[in-house]
Amino acid sequence: MDDLLSAYAAKLEELAREEGLDYDPVSFEEVPDSFMTEVAVYGLPVRMPHWSFGVRYIYQFVQHRMGHSRLFEVVFPGKPNRAYLASRNSVEENTLVMAHVLGHADFAKNNLLFRKIQDEVGYHIVEQAAAHARQITDAIEAYGEARVEAILDAALALEQYVDVHQGLRRARYPEYLPEKPQPLPGQFMTRYEKLTGERGLKAAPKERKRAPVPPAPEHDLLWFIAHYAPELEGWERDIFLAVREESFYFYPVFACQIMNEGWASFWHARLLRKADFLPQQVYLDAIKAHSDVVRPYAGDREIALTINPYHLGFKMWESIVAERDIAGARRIMQEDDDFSFVRNYLTEELAEELHLFEYAAMPSGDIRVERGDIDSLREKLLAPKFNFGAPSVHVTHVHVDGTLELTHDHDIDGRGLDLERARKVLQYLHRVWRRPVVLHTVDERGRPKELTAG
């Protein structure tokens, strides 16, 4: 960074500490646009190679060239936090971005979900992801690109299917059912066993019964396949577990997006207001950038059919701080995720003030505004976030011949499957399971539907 920006960074950090922010060290680095685009696509500065990232890169590149997206910063929580700032940003914009990053760093250190996952995954995801990338490169050299790509196709198609409640490192299922406790002998049995001829006889050992696999519906598909696929080789299992570890890292970012972006936006605005060391013009330009970030809709539009998490989160934190002060807001920040945050603190009055509404898309393409209560609106906002944003599918049974049986929980999920995409994922899965795979779901009319591969 240039000297001026470095000086602002030092003073912003000093101000942030005075305001009570508590975070691990932050490493700021200015990088070119091409690097920012790659990070946005891969999710990490260095990540395992796969064709799907190339598809995402083209989409992101086109969006950027058409002016539909602009990346100001990317930050990776850890020890240290690593923050990449776009070098094309003005000094004023990067001043705002650095204040924003300090809010993220405070959130990552103190939010319980972030801390739990980082304690499990570790605090050096950038280096760990680079090690995974080297692992994949070594596997390509040893086993060939086609075999490695088949494994990555399946693992990345299932990357949202982790169960963070079970933990990153979990034991395999018990191999046998637990033995039933024997009843205490009564007086009759005690006398019976003392009869002549009964003494000395030993009860025949009981045959132990194998436990079913899985013993209960299993939602962590990456873990299950890594540990129970009949013919998966060690290097293939390692790739599944590497993808799973990275998915664990990304989960809190996804599950706390509204809270986290809102918290960072609240703090960049607060720090900038108190940063009397900034020249007035720098302050004014940074505040203008703030206004652009927390707008409910992009450009000159007057309505949006999607939520800007920066805008919603920022407004919610402003409302919470006004009612409960900073200490009360910090307690919420530490304990909640987006689900509890929206359900508990998006009030009817605030939703009305922000002009939030429900809508339905008609077959004709028209949009119809619907009137629902605040609970319905909250659930509509949260619906895309359930199950890491993917349809709810779990393993229900492995048959004697090795057939893998999956079930789409459409009643709880509340959304259907794209059947063509589901068939493609089953084909990927069959290539690594190496036995038939069956998925139970419903069609567009709610009738039972069975998809198979193999």
Side-chain angles (χ1 to χ4, degrees):
M1 292 195 301
D2 66 28
D3 293 342
L4 181 59
L5 206 53
S6 296
Y8 288 162
K11 290 183 177 180
L12 280 172
E13 291 214 43
E14 184 181 340
L15 178 59
R17 302 282 188 193
E18 290 173 2
E19 288 292 309
L21 296 193
D22 173 27
Y23 52 88
D24 292 314
V26 181
S27 169
F28 291 106
E29 183 179 351
E30 285 185 293
V31 295
D33 275 357
S34 57
F35 183 89
M36 295 292 285
T37 302
E38 288 179 13
V39 172
V41 168
Y42 279 82
L44 289 159
V46 178
R47 206 177 178 197
M48 54 189 71
H50 188 252
W51 58 264
S52 62
F53 295 125
V55 176
R56 297 180 203 178
Y57 183 90
I58 293 171
Y59 175 81
Q60 183 70 35
F61 182 74
V62 171
Q63 290 288 309
H64 177 69
R65 292 296 296 268
M66 294 178 70
H68 294 164
S69 72
R70 181 179 172 189
L71 300 168
F72 283 92
E73 49 81 22
V74 180
V75 57
F76 297 99
K79 295 181 179 178
N81 298 281
R82 294 185 181 277
Y84 298 99
L85 320 180
S87 57
R88 74 190 295 260
N89 291 345
S90 65
V91 169
E92 294 79 8
E93 288 169 335
N94 271 339
T95 302
L96 175 138
V97 167
M98 290 188 298
H100 188 86
V101 166
L102 297 179
H104 278 314
D106 178 57
F107 192 97
K109 182 178 179 182
N110 295 287
N111 177 267
L112 289 177
L113 179 59
F114 266 79
R115 281 167 49 188
K116 172 184 181 297
I117 297 298
Q118 291 212 76
D119 283 345
E120 294 187 39
V121 175
Y123 288 84
H124 303 281
I125 189 63
V126 173
E127 292 80 359
Q128 290 163 238
H132 293 160
R134 287 195 296 274
Q135 173 188 343
I136 300 297
T137 302
D138 292 344
I140 290 173
E141 290 180 3
Y143 305 103
E145 186 173 353
R147 291 184 68 188
V148 173
E149 187 170 288
I151 297 298
L152 278 174
D153 285 345
L156 290 172
L158 300 176
E159 64 181 339
Q160 292 149 300
Y161 290 94
V162 295
D163 186 348
V164 296
H165 304 295
Q166 295 286 347
L168 181 63
R169 294 167 185 83
R170 51 183 287 201
R172 289 170 60 94
Y173 307 129
E175 195 169 347
Y176 296 97
L177 291 172
E179 293 185 8
K180 293 182 180 177
Q182 296 296 316
L184 295 174
Q187 290 184 354
F188 173 78
M189 286 302 300
T190 302
R191 290 200 301 272
Y192 177 79
E193 289 173 352
K194 289 180 180 178
L195 291 176
T196 304
E198 298 296 334
R199 296 173 188 165
L201 292 179
K202 295 182 178 178
K206 293 182 179 178
E207 185 177 349
R208 300 174 70 188
K209 291 186 177 178
R210 287 193 173 276
V213 176
E218 177 59 62
H219 293 81
D220 196 330
L221 303 189
L222 286 173
W223 177 84
F224 183 83
I225 291 165
H227 290 279
Y228 290 95
E231 297 178 11
L232 209 61
E233 297 182 27
W235 66 271
E236 297 172 312
R237 179 173 294 106
D238 290 343
I239 291 176
F240 259 78
L241 295 178
V243 171
R244 180 171 177 264
E245 183 178 83
E246 293 179 8
S247 290
F248 262 69
Y249 174 81
F250 287 122
Y251 180 75
V253 178
F254 178 84
C256 299
Q257 186 191 25
I258 296 172
M259 282 182 74
N260 192 5
E261 295 298 353
W263 186 256
S265 298
F266 172 83
W267 277 103
H268 78 225
R270 188 179 177 94
L271 293 178
L272 289 177
R273 280 199 300 270
K274 298 195 172 190
D276 54 9
F277 54 86
L278 291 177
Q280 186 175 23
Q281 192 58 48
V282 173
Y283 169 76
L284 291 175
D285 289 344
I287 286 298
K288 180 180 180 306
H290 161 76
S291 300
D292 292 339
V293 169
V294 300
R295 292 183 67 185
Y297 34 77
D300 56 357
R301 298 176 185 175
E302 296 182 356
I303 194 169
L305 297 180
T306 57
I307 290 291
N308 177 357
Y310 296 80
H311 172 250
L312 179 58
F314 174 72
K315 290 294 185 182
M316 288 181 68
W317 283 120
E318 273 199 329
S319 171
I320 291 168
V321 170
E323 184 179 340
R324 300 166 184 252
D325 70 30
I326 289 289
R330 287 195 70 83
R331 282 193 291 276
I332 294 168
M333 178 272 285
Q334 291 163 359
E335 298 170 0
D336 282 21
D337 60 12
D338 278 355
F339 295 98
S340 51
F341 184 63
V342 169
R343 284 170 177 157
N344 291 330
Y345 304 107
L346 178 58
T347 63
E348 195 163 1
E349 294 75 20
L350 185 57
E352 187 76 22
E353 178 188 328
L354 300 180
H355 304 297
L356 301 180
F357 61 88
E358 295 179 51
Y359 70 92
M362 300 292 102
S364 62
D366 294 337
I367 301 296
R368 185 180 69 196
V369 176
E370 297 185 330
R371 295 291 177 188
D373 59 21
I374 184 64
D375 291 328
S376 173
L377 177 62
R378 292 173 184 142
E379 295 311 308
K380 285 282 177 62
L381 282 172
L382 295 171
K385 301 184 74 70
F386 285 111
N387 200 48
F388 213 163
S392 179
V393 175
H394 54 263
V395 180
T396 47
H397 190 54
V398 177
H399 293 261
V400 175
D401 66 354
T403 297
L404 176 64
E405 192 171 312
L406 305 169
T407 299
H408 170 220
D409 201 350
H410 52 85
D411 287 334
I412 295 176
D413 198 38
R415 53 190 160 184
L417 283 181
D418 181 327
L419 295 182
E420 286 309 308
R421 294 184 66 176
R423 286 190 180 93
K424 191 68 178 175
V425 172
L426 285 191
Q427 290 169 9
Y428 289 152
L429 187 49
H430 173 249
R431 286 157 64 184
V432 297
W433 187 257
R434 292 156 192 161
R435 300 285 191 284
V437 180
V438 180
L439 171 64
H440 300 285
T441 182
V442 295
D443 64 14
E444 64 278 1
R445 296 184 178 178
R447 298 172 300 194
K449 180 84 176 176
E450 185 178 285
L451 305 180
T452 61

